Amino acid sequence: MDVALSKHGAWVLRAFFTLVVLFLYAPIVILLIFSFNSSEVPTFPLSGFTLHWYHEFLVNADLRDALKTSGLIAAVTSLGAVLLGVLSSIALVRRRFRGRAVVSALLLSPLVIPYVVFGISLLLLFHQLGVPRSVPTVVVGHIVISLPYTILVLVPRLQQIDATLEEAAYDLGASRLRTFRSITLPLILPAIVSAFLIAFTTSFDEYAVASFVVGPRATFPIYLYSALRFPSQLPQVIAVAVVVLVLSLTVIVAAEVGRRVVDRRVGAFDL
Amino acid sequence: MPLAWLAVFFVLPIAIVAGYSFDVYSLFPGPHGFTLSAWRAVAGDHVYLRLFWKSVKMSVIVSAVIVVLAYPLAYYLALSGTKRKYILLLLLIAPFLTSYLLRVLAWKVILGDQGVVNTFLFWTGLRSPDHPLSQLLYSKFAVMLVLGYIWLPFVALPIFVSLESLDRRLLEAASDLGASRLRSFWSITLPLSLPGVLAAFFFVFVPTLGEFVTPSLVGGATGYMYGNQIVDLFGTGFPDWETGSVLALFLIAVVAVLTVVFSRFLQPQQIAAD
């Protein structure tokens, strides 16, 4: 007998799970359907099949610029966040110092700060310093909010690594830098890749903080938000939405599958 | 170096907000110094307090409802013994990892007066085009529905983590001692998974409390939240940075208190279980 679930209960839960998954994916499927609909407005009944809206957004220069800007910001953000994340994680895991708990709390606190408050704080900071809002001001904000995510990925990985490996390297005369390059870095590389991806996607999709510190060059979410206010742009925004959603779902699944394959290989290697 | 970064771009900005709230800094030139007048004005103004209370209620309802919905999902994944539990978990969480704005957009398309739901009802004749279901979009309901939709996959994660670490032998022992499944659930499973439930609640409640993007897209007048008020005070119409700063600091203070209260239930791996 199963102690957690009766047969009947398992059936009910499976049905409920299926319903919820349908509810989660239905809006995405509806967008997919209407992205091919020829009418200007997304209404029933469907009026015919077209690829017009996909063509429309492919030739839309503003949109392409926004995607490029977001790509640039996300790339710089993820580099910066991973760099700071590696430094803080090593300090948190390997060093024993006073006030460690406070430091760790401070490093993770951007996880819980309301983005509206953080966005405004940055706005006031740049206003006070007389720094004009631009691409770098968005990068600054995005590094702060993605830093804790990189730490959350890196710290567990560092904790798994046997610290004696590093000590052995020191004993054999390797410098700190050499030890990091030859021992620590290769061992945490998978976690660095995950941290990079998380920081990249966080930044690429971030609207709330960016809305306060963005300059004349709109990011992709900023562009989307303003496009949502003009009904005439809706059909091509829906087409973009479908492309982005399908692409990101594919990347998520691919990353997960890839990680499992690597884990299995490494696991086999350990034996 | 990371600390210096956070000091300059995280702590200092919040300190400047505090400066504005006490009138040490001001948007307008002229003499000013430390006063509590902005704080007093907010404390005496029922509009802000009522709006805050309304946002708290909306966030509590959203968080509570989706925690209750997510619990059976996590329970199914963790305890039903299904072999594909990680694939199913990924299926559940994947929407959360895609674009936030685009998922709000989907609901805008679905709920509008001329949206998918209404035109479907007209088309099938269930409702006449003169009387659309007009409360769907631009309402408190729309804000809560969309926020629930956005956060539901995420909430399942901490609950799943706590249920997964549950020792099944406890349930077997209870069963051997004659307890029914329901009795085991109430006496063992639920209490042991409570930290995950509370963490889940916290991780949804905090961001939805300060939310301003979803309400500004689907909320209309009735869905207006505290976060929107803060944004508007810093907006282009009639900026009032002092009052806005007071509201922002008040929100941080509330979140800080909640974080301390909930901290014993929070474990970073609950949200990094990727």
Side-chain angles (χ1 to χ4, degrees):
Chain A
M1 186 184 96
D2 191 298
V3 288
L5 269 176
S6 63
K7 271 215 167 67
H8 186 63
W11 188 88
V12 169
L13 281 187
R14 192 176 315 129
F16 179 66
F17 187 89
T18 313
L19 273 179
V20 170
V21 167
L22 285 178
F23 168 70
L24 289 176
Y25 285 86
I28 300 174
V29 172
I30 286 174
L31 280 188
L32 181 73
I33 294 170
F34 280 101
S35 72
F36 296 113
N37 187 29
S38 58
S39 154
E40 289 262 340
V41 279
T43 57
F44 272 109
L46 297 166
S47 50
F49 179 86
T50 179
L51 288 173
H52 177 67
W53 309 120
Y54 285 89
H55 176 74
E56 195 99 310
F57 94 70
L58 284 175
V59 298
N60 182 337
D62 288 347
L63 179 59
R64 275 208 315 256
D65 285 347
L67 282 169
K68 262 187 240 159
T69 308
S70 274
L72 174 73
I73 290 177
V76 181
T77 295
S78 38
L79 281 176
V82 167
L83 179 68
L84 294 177
V86 168
L87 292 174
S88 1
S89 308
I90 290 180
L92 285 176
V93 176
R94 291 285 183 264
R95 302 277 150 76
R96 295 276 160 263
F97 53 90
R98 255 195 299 165
R100 204 169 144 272
V102 177
V103 168
S104 146
L106 176 66
L107 286 169
L108 294 179
S109 59
L111 280 179
V112 292
I113 183 135
Y115 282 3
V116 54
V117 176
F118 178 58
I120 276 160
S121 314
L122 269 187
L123 172 73
L124 295 191
L125 173 78
F126 293 129
H127 175 83
Q128 218 65 36
L129 297 174
V131 178
R133 291 182 276 171
S134 60
V135 168
T137 54
V138 180
V139 170
V140 163
H142 282 181
I143 290 184
V144 172
I145 54 177
S146 33
L147 179 58
Y149 292 103
T150 67
I151 295 176
L152 287 181
V153 176
L154 290 164
V155 162
R157 181 71 195 147
L158 273 168
Q159 279 167 342
Q160 284 171 6
I161 296 176
D162 197 343
T164 53
L165 287 175
E166 291 165 9
E167 284 157 18
Y170 293 137
D171 289 348
L172 293 169
S175 66
R176 277 201 186 289
L177 193 67
R178 177 81 203 275
T179 307
F180 178 76
R181 245 191 12 209
S182 314
I183 310 283
T184 319
L185 186 62
L187 286 173
I188 60 169
L189 203 59
I192 288 188
V193 173
S194 314
F196 188 88
L197 284 178
I198 290 174
F200 191 95
T201 48
T202 305
S203 163
F204 196 86
D205 186 44
E206 210 286 324
Y207 171 78
V209 172
S211 68
F212 294 101
V213 291
V214 74
R217 275 177 74 184
T219 65
F220 177 60
I222 301 278
Y223 176 86
L224 268 182
Y225 186 90
S226 56
L228 286 181
R229 313 223 139 193
F230 301 102
S232 65
Q233 301 223 16
L234 196 56
Q236 46 166 316
V237 168
I238 292 177
V240 180
V242 168
V243 173
V244 172
L245 289 173
V246 170
L247 252 171
S248 53
L249 285 175
T250 315
V251 170
I252 292 159
V253 172
E256 183 64 17
V257 171
R259 204 176 62 90
R260 273 174 198 287
V261 170
V262 170
D263 273 6
R264 215 169 294 151
R265 292 237 176 103
V266 173
F269 189 68
D270 280 348
L271 292 171
Chain B
M1 199 163 104
L3 285 179
W5 179 273
L6 284 185
V8 175
F9 294 118
F10 185 67
V11 179
L12 179 65
I14 293 170
I16 292 178
V17 173
Y20 271 92
S21 80
F22 295 119
D23 230 356
V24 177
Y25 296 114
S26 172
L27 180 57
F28 305 107
H32 45 81
F34 184 90
T35 79
L36 287 172
S37 60
W39 283 90
R40 256 189 237 116
V42 169
D45 194 334
H46 293 298
V47 175
Y48 297 126
L49 293 177
R50 214 172 289 148
L51 186 61
F52 183 73
W53 183 232
K54 172 184 160 192
S55 303
V56 169
K57 277 192 291 192
M58 286 169 73
S59 305
V60 167
I61 295 172
V62 169
S63 317
V65 167
I66 63 177
V67 165
V68 169
L69 287 178
Y71 196 92
L73 302 175
Y75 191 91
Y76 173 68
L77 291 178
L79 294 174
S80 74
T82 168
K83 276 181 218 137
R84 295 163 300 168
K85 68 176 165 188
Y86 287 103
I87 297 171
L88 291 175
L89 184 67
L90 181 66
L91 185 70
L92 186 64
I93 292 186
F96 183 76
L97 304 172
T98 66
S99 167
Y100 174 100
L101 274 180
L102 292 180
R103 282 176 296 148
V104 180
L105 160 74
W107 282 102
K108 233 176 128 94
V109 169
I110 292 168
L111 296 178
D113 274 3
Q114 293 298 317
V116 173
V117 170
N118 270 317
T119 53
F120 183 78
L121 291 178
F122 306 155
W123 186 43
T124 52
L126 289 172
R127 200 144 180 122
S128 95
D130 305 328
H131 302 286
L133 288 170
S134 60
Q135 292 307 305
L136 287 179
L137 192 58
Y138 304 123
S139 62
K140 215 160 110 176
F141 164 77
V143 175
M144 289 165 61
L145 175 70
V146 173
L147 287 177
Y149 172 78
I150 286 173
W151 290 99
L152 178 59
F154 180 74
V155 162
L157 205 51
I159 304 176
F160 172 78
V161 170
S162 67
L163 282 173
E164 250 239 307
S165 59
L166 181 83
D167 190 343
R168 278 184 83 95
R169 285 173 301 183
L170 290 173
L171 298 179
E172 280 155 19
S175 161
D176 290 347
L177 294 170
S180 67
R181 285 191 193 91
L182 194 64
R183 179 81 202 278
S184 306
F185 175 77
W186 285 113
S187 318
I188 299 171
T189 316
L190 189 60
L192 285 176
S193 60
L194 214 52
V197 170
L198 292 172
F201 183 88
F202 173 84
F203 281 124
V204 179
F205 180 75
V206 165
T208 50
L209 182 61
E211 182 62 76
F212 71 98
V213 180
T214 297
S216 77
L217 283 170
V218 301
T222 57
Y224 194 82
M225 288 178 79
Y226 189 75
N228 301 90
Q229 179 69 72
I230 298 181
V231 175
D232 287 350
L233 286 170
F234 286 89
T236 41
F238 298 94
D240 182 349
W241 289 15
E242 283 77 13
T243 308
S245 299
V246 173
L247 297 186
L249 274 190
F250 179 65
L251 182 59
I252 291 200
V254 170
V255 168
V257 169
L258 283 174
T259 309
V260 171
V261 170
F262 277 82
S263 59
R264 40 192 291 240
F265 305 113
L266 306 178
Q267 272 154 13
Q269 65 264 33
Q270 282 165 335
I271 52 170
D274 66 318

